[in-house]
Amino acid sequence: MSEITVSGVPGLPEIAQGANLATLIAAAVPDLADGDILVVTSKIISKAEGRVISADRDDAIAAETVRVVARRGATTIAQTRHGLVLAAAGVDRSNTAPGTVVLLPEDPDGSARRLRKSIGELTGANIGVLVTDTMGRPWRNGQTDVAIGAAGLLPLRDHRGHADSFGNTLEVTVAAVADEIAAAAELVKGKTDQVPVAVVRGLPELVIAAGADPGGDGPGAAALIRPAAEDMFRLGAADVLGERRTVRDFTDEPVDKAAVRRAIAAALTAPAPHHSQPWRFAIVESAPARIRLLDDMLAAWVADLHGDGFTEEQIARRTRRGEPLRRAPLIIVPCLLADAAHTYPDRRRNAAERAMFLVAMGAGVQNLLVALAVEGLGSCWVSSTLFCGPVAGAALDLPEDWEPMGAVGVGRAAAPPAPRADRDPASFLVVR
């Protein structure tokens, strides 16, 4: 590998809206050459593009946020419309006038493309351009610069299929070279030195040849953002509860049994009275067992509705509510085992004792549903077994002291659930 050098570009003026960055940078680096990589702090891009606004910082963060990933104290980790996940949605109030904040560029990849094109026209050099911003990293202290915009270079270097020094075939190694270059450039730019641009030399193999067709600017830094479907760590602390949604249509994909058991383990962490463990779960995996359970429950339901005087049309309409369970490839029947309940000589305290165990059961079921969602599984909660507990218990051959408390259909959602309407907590509380 050839020698790699990273050099800061001093002497640039304070950037204001409308500034011609290409002209300023070309004058400051008159020896730009083919294969050089220009690394530019996003803040000067934002300033030149008029992304400095007079606004309250919290209001600006809310406006730039499409998803809150986590909150702790005054810190918000948010996803922006670009797909970036970072503190304060990238809103910055450092190195800007009091009362103003700097937003991220509207289109960092577009900014990089325009800057590359303009500098190429001024200098004749075929260069790569990175636009960078500072981010924290999960599980690691400290911040580092990463690429949020790119043009004219390959942001990823794929080593999969290559052999390592021991002859082993690499299977998952894809190097985020754009982020590596961004971090190296930050060593010479610094946060307080007013050096917002650096030049990296010695990596011409990453720079796309002039006139490359198609995609002469490359895929941009957008290629560094992992698709949501492939992101094992997508759910932040603020996402977990909201991820639990009712799913009524499922695919035929088999359900991961290990994931179900992990979700049940989470259910067992719910609070319960008297240091008891009142939760039991019947996992109905086989098709014959599911059909037997649902058919017997349906027969009991229909018999009840006939007894209530419902017409056949009314019965058909009412019993359709249980159809999501038939579409689920797996059913879990949570059961209450109240053998630890205390007995009192009066009805009032016995009713309160029963309620305590029912609340614990509900807490366990909620844990189960949320944990299934975290595992990427959809679920629906149907309370039918409460109306025919002995029937459900007999269909599943459950111990006599297991009380079926409902049924949970589990599987992969056939389609994304509809957005949930916001609910104002003020409508659900009183303060004393």
Side-chain angles (χ1 to χ4, degrees):
M1 180 177 289
S2 59
E3 181 182 45
I4 299 172
T5 64
V6 184
S7 307
V9 179
L12 291 172
E14 176 64 29
I15 302 301
Q17 183 174 353
N20 190 323
L21 290 180
T23 299
L24 293 171
I25 293 171
V29 195
D31 60 343
L32 274 175
D34 290 350
D36 286 351
I37 299 172
L38 198 65
V39 185
V40 184
T41 301
S42 64
K43 185 167 292 182
I44 67 168
I45 300 279
S46 294
K47 288 181 175 181
E49 294 178 349
R51 297 282 286 167
V52 180
I53 62 172
S54 297
D56 176 79
R57 180 172 179 267
D58 290 339
D59 292 341
I61 292 171
E64 292 295 298
T65 295
V66 298
R67 181 172 69 98
V68 174
V69 176
R71 282 196 179 101
R72 179 169 295 177
T75 300
T76 299
I77 306 298
Q79 181 180 349
T80 70
R81 66 179 63 87
H82 317 85
L84 302 169
V85 176
L86 69 173
V91 175
D92 197 347
R93 60 185 174 193
S94 63
N95 293 310
T96 187
T100 67
V101 294
V102 184
L103 311 180
L104 291 177
E106 189 73 35
D107 177 12
D109 279 334
S111 300
R113 289 192 296 268
R114 290 189 294 273
L115 186 57
R116 182 193 187 214
K117 181 176 184 293
S118 296
I119 289 180
E121 292 172 349
L122 289 170
T123 67
N126 179 53
I127 65 169
V129 174
L130 288 180
V131 178
T132 68
D133 197 58
T134 303
M135 293 187 189
R137 299 150 304 148
W139 311 295
R140 304 285 288 179
N141 286 322
Q143 294 80 38
T144 187
D145 269 21
V146 300
I148 65 169
L153 81 160
L154 302 174
L156 295 164
R157 180 182 279 171
D158 194 343
H159 296 286
R160 291 173 296 182
H162 295 250
D164 65 14
S165 57
F166 290 92
N168 301 305
T169 299
L170 300 174
E171 297 179 355
V172 297
T173 304
V174 180
V177 291
D179 285 347
E180 293 173 333
I181 294 168
E186 177 58 18
L187 294 173
V188 299
K189 290 191 295 178
K191 298 298 180 191
T192 60
D193 298 333
Q194 294 185 318
V195 179
V197 178
V199 177
V200 177
R201 289 180 170 146
L203 294 170
E205 69 275 13
L206 297 180
V207 177
I208 298 172
D213 185 44
D217 285 313
L224 294 162
I225 298 175
R226 191 184 300 275
E230 300 174 10
D231 188 353
M232 294 178 64
F233 306 101
R234 178 172 175 78
L235 295 182
D239 294 315
V240 172
L241 292 178
E243 191 71 7
R244 201 286 312 159
R245 308 294 295 280
T246 297
V247 173
R248 293 180 173 83
D249 289 295
F250 301 89
T251 69
D252 295 330
E253 181 180 351
V255 176
D256 181 356
K257 296 178 182 180
V260 170
R261 282 153 179 78
R262 288 193 295 268
I264 289 175
L268 301 179
T269 66
H274 312 319
H275 304 288
S276 65
Q277 298 175 357
W279 317 278
R280 299 294 185 271
F281 299 91
I283 304 175
V284 191
E285 293 179 341
S286 71
R290 292 199 308 276
I291 293 170
R292 182 172 62 250
L293 170 67
L294 296 177
D295 284 353
D296 289 357
M297 288 171 56
L298 176 61
W301 195 357
V302 169
D304 284 343
L305 294 175
H306 273 140
D308 294 337
F310 281 72
T311 67
E312 293 299 326
E313 181 182 353
Q314 290 172 324
I315 290 173
R317 187 165 58 247
R318 182 71 68 90
T319 55
R320 276 199 293 269
R321 299 174 186 174
E323 288 181 358
L325 289 177
R326 292 192 181 271
R327 295 192 284 267
L330 181 144
I331 295 173
I332 302 174
V333 178
C335 300
L336 173 63
L337 178 62
D339 58 349
H342 294 175
T343 302
Y344 296 93
D346 58 279
R347 180 180 299 177
R348 173 181 59 82
R349 285 185 289 173
N350 283 328
E353 187 77 9
R354 173 73 176 175
M356 278 201 309
F357 278 83
L358 291 176
V359 169
M361 194 70 219
V365 170
Q366 173 71 352
N367 277 12
L368 172 69
L369 299 178
V370 171
L372 288 170
V374 171
E375 293 283 352
L377 293 170
S379 66
C380 61
W381 166 250
V382 180
S383 303
S384 302
T385 63
L386 286 169
F387 295 85
C388 58
V391 171
L396 296 175
D397 193 24
L398 299 179
E400 289 186 4
D401 52 356
W402 286 28
E403 298 181 56
M405 291 281 108
V408 179
V410 182
R412 296 285 180 184
R420 177 186 279 118
D422 290 336
R423 295 172 179 171
D424 183 1
S427 302
F428 298 86
L429 58 84
V430 295
V431 179
R432 298 287 188 256

